[in-house]
Amino acid sequence: MGRDGEDGGDDQDTREGRQGRDGGDRAAGGRRRGPGAAAAVSVALITVLTSLPLFLVGATSTLVNRELGWDAGDTGLLLAAYWLSSLSGAYLSRRVDTPVSAETTVGSAALVTAVGLSVAAWCGGWGLALGTALGGLVYGYTQPHTNSLLMQRCPPSAQGFAFGLKQAAIPASTLVGSLAVPALAVPYGWRAVFTASAVVCVAYALPGLVVRRRGAAGRRGPAAPAPPLRLNAHLIGLAVAGLCGAMVGNALGGFLIASGVHEGMALTWASLLAAAGSTTNIAVRLVAGIVVDRGRYAPRALLWQLYLAGAVGTLLLAVGGGPWVMTVGGLLAFGGGWGWAGLLHYVAGAAFPGRAARATAVTQMGVSLGGATGPMLFGLLVDHAGWGAAWLMLTAVGTVAAVVVRLLREPPDTAAPATAAAPPSTTHTRK
């Protein structure tokens, strides 16, 4: 498993090695931090945009269902289609070697997302399904590429925060979708929200692609395909943890308000709890990255402890006990049970230097499968066994994630690429 008990000493060695590499990077060109900050912001923005097909469906579901004659079950199928397509996209990203720069991939992803949003807005019910699925495919395909971009462009001392910022962009997408409903959907209809989002995607994509083309002559050529990376117990374990965590997080986001009302909360209180939980989730993702960047906590140790905290939160939700117990449980569940995302991909990417895209494609497949299955299973349990049983199921799932990460061993030595330029694998001791 690693040496979680020895992580304090390992962290000191890691900090020294990391500081040495950072110093070499700055001495070599002095431009490391600038491109790193730009890459982190760019990746966060594309994560928001490629998440919009998912969250706009949820935000506008009342208006969509009213116009098309659909119900909540149809909305659930759309959300599942997004995540299953995301699973396919992550699989393709791992299987296909495309020597194209990450920047070009990001710009192209924004354009394809714009197409999906436009199809969803103007091609009827089948168009909404197709556009949502296309958005999921783009999201799943780009996630490993953006993860690789962060590992390449950000200095090791800021990679944890960069991953946290990237994943914090996902709950930020829910905020964008929620604000778009009163601003655009109510006065102009739900199609206006999708159309405006498509325009934003195009506005984001075109300048970057043009700049990339104009500056191509003075930059490095297309990126070479990454070295092969075979599946191993470390990657599979992280993928299982991602699957379990996504089951918890996506079910939590979809059902917490309804569960709170069932337990006697006023609708306003339950809604405020969901908003506070989302804010807590964003804060945890950012703070977790900062903590591991400063070398004060082993990333893998923090990861399994977040999963465990989330399991405690869902257990409190299962017990019930009134609004205040639900409030504490909801905040713990959001913070731990959904605050792990940036850390998971960072742990996977750092464990396999030079192959972050391939490694995080595997973890993204687990996350996508969990996103598709979690809400469906939770809803079925609520219908047939009640809210308590559904939250207990998530408690068990979150506990499994914590145990799997806690028991992980170091990646095999054969996982490291045999290149002279590869940095020392000190990152392994931090997991």
Side-chain angles (χ1 to χ4, degrees):
M1 147 169 200
R3 297 171 294 278
D4 285 334
E6 302 167 11
D7 281 330
D10 290 336
D11 283 348
Q12 179 61 37
D13 294 335
T14 302
R15 285 196 297 272
E16 292 172 358
R18 187 170 64 233
Q19 289 164 359
R21 292 195 299 276
D22 290 349
D25 289 335
R26 287 191 292 268
R31 296 187 301 272
R32 183 75 168 177
R33 289 189 181 276
V41 173
S42 176
V43 165
L45 288 174
I46 194 61
T47 302
V48 169
L49 296 179
T50 54
S51 299
L52 286 177
L54 172 70
F55 294 114
L56 289 183
V57 166
T60 63
S61 60
T62 300
L63 298 174
V64 170
N65 293 347
R66 184 184 303 163
E67 177 180 326
L68 301 179
W70 288 0
D71 57 21
D74 296 311
T75 302
L77 289 176
L78 283 180
L79 300 180
Y82 179 93
W83 284 114
L84 291 176
S85 295
S86 174
L87 172 63
S88 300
Y91 177 79
L92 289 175
S93 182
R94 176 173 170 79
R95 297 289 296 178
V96 177
D97 282 325
T98 306
V100 178
S101 72
E103 292 92 336
T104 301
T105 300
V106 165
S108 301
L111 287 180
V112 178
T113 300
V115 172
L117 290 167
S118 300
V119 170
W122 299 108
C123 295
W126 69 268
L128 189 58
L130 178 61
T132 302
L134 182 60
L137 185 70
V138 172
Y139 176 83
Y141 187 86
T142 56
Q143 286 297 292
H145 289 282
T146 54
N147 291 334
S148 178
L149 184 63
L150 292 181
M151 297 298 291
Q152 293 170 9
R153 296 295 177 84
C154 298
S157 59
Q159 287 174 358
F161 176 76
F163 274 86
L165 178 66
K166 169 182 176 287
Q167 296 302 138
I170 296 176
S173 297
T174 64
L175 178 61
V176 172
S178 300
L179 294 176
V181 171
L184 289 176
V186 172
Y188 303 110
W190 65 270
R191 298 176 193 274
V193 178
F194 282 76
T195 303
S197 300
V199 171
V200 171
C201 288
V202 173
Y204 171 85
L206 289 182
L209 290 175
V210 170
V211 170
R212 172 71 188 174
R213 177 176 293 274
R214 288 179 176 174
R219 299 164 111 180
R220 292 177 299 174
L229 176 61
R230 293 183 179 181
L231 284 178
N232 53 68
H234 191 88
L235 271 181
I236 293 173
L238 291 176
V240 169
L243 185 154
C244 293
M247 289 181 66
V248 174
N250 284 276
L252 184 69
F255 292 98
L256 180 63
I257 292 177
S259 178
V261 171
H262 180 267
E263 286 295 322
M265 278 186 174
L267 178 58
T268 300
W269 189 342
S271 300
L272 289 175
L273 173 59
S278 296
T279 303
T280 302
N281 179 16
I282 293 172
V284 169
R285 295 182 184 202
L286 294 175
V287 171
I290 293 172
V291 168
V292 299
D293 281 339
R294 294 182 177 179
R296 297 180 179 176
Y297 220 93
R300 201 171 65 208
L302 181 57
L303 180 60
W304 75 258
Q305 289 167 15
L306 283 175
Y307 280 126
L308 189 60
V312 172
T314 52
L315 179 61
L316 291 176
L317 293 175
V319 171
W324 287 108
V325 175
M326 290 284 293
T327 298
V328 174
L331 292 177
L332 270 176
F334 261 107
W338 214 2
W340 47 266
L343 205 53
L344 175 75
H345 294 307
Y346 169 71
V347 166
F352 300 95
R355 274 96 36 94
R358 291 188 181 278
T360 58
V362 177
T363 55
Q364 183 59 47
M365 283 190 279
V367 169
S368 297
L369 184 59
T373 57
M376 289 192 296
L377 291 176
F378 189 94
L380 288 174
L381 276 175
V382 170
D383 290 340
H384 294 90
W387 289 99
W391 288 120
L392 281 176
M393 182 270 291
L394 292 188
T395 300
V397 167
T399 302
V400 168
V403 171
V404 167
V405 175
R406 180 67 178 84
L407 295 179
L408 279 181
R409 296 186 180 277
E410 298 293 341
D413 292 337
T414 55
T419 61
S425 57
T426 54
T427 51
H428 289 182
T429 62
R430 302 174 64 229
K431 307 300 171 293

